[in-house]
Amino acid sequence: MTHPLLERGFTVTAVDESPDMLERVRVARTTGARATARQRHC
């Protein structure tokens, strides 16, 4: 998904808590963080 977005001119930041995964990213900016999901209360 990263490359098609970059080709269309979007700025992409790859986020992962694993430094090993972030090392694989070659084109986008990277940052380390834990992925969390927020639950919406209606």
Side-chain angles (χ1 to χ4, degrees), residues 27-41:
V27 183
R29 295 179 296 170
T30 61
T31 187
R34 294 190 77 196
T36 60
R38 290 187 180 180
Q39 185 177 10
R40 286 185 143 180
H41 297 283

Side-chain angles (χ1 to χ4, degrees), residues 14 16-28 30-31:
D16 200 297
E17 62 184 79
S18 168
D20 293 333
M21 291 300 290
L22 292 174
E23 284 182 20
R24 298 178 185 196
V25 177
R26 298 288 177 228
V27 183
T30 61
T31 187

Side-chain angles (χ1 to χ4, degrees), residues 1-11:
M1 179 175 226
T2 300
H3 292 119
L5 291 171
L6 290 168
E7 289 169 2
R8 288 174 176 80
F10 289 91
T11 300

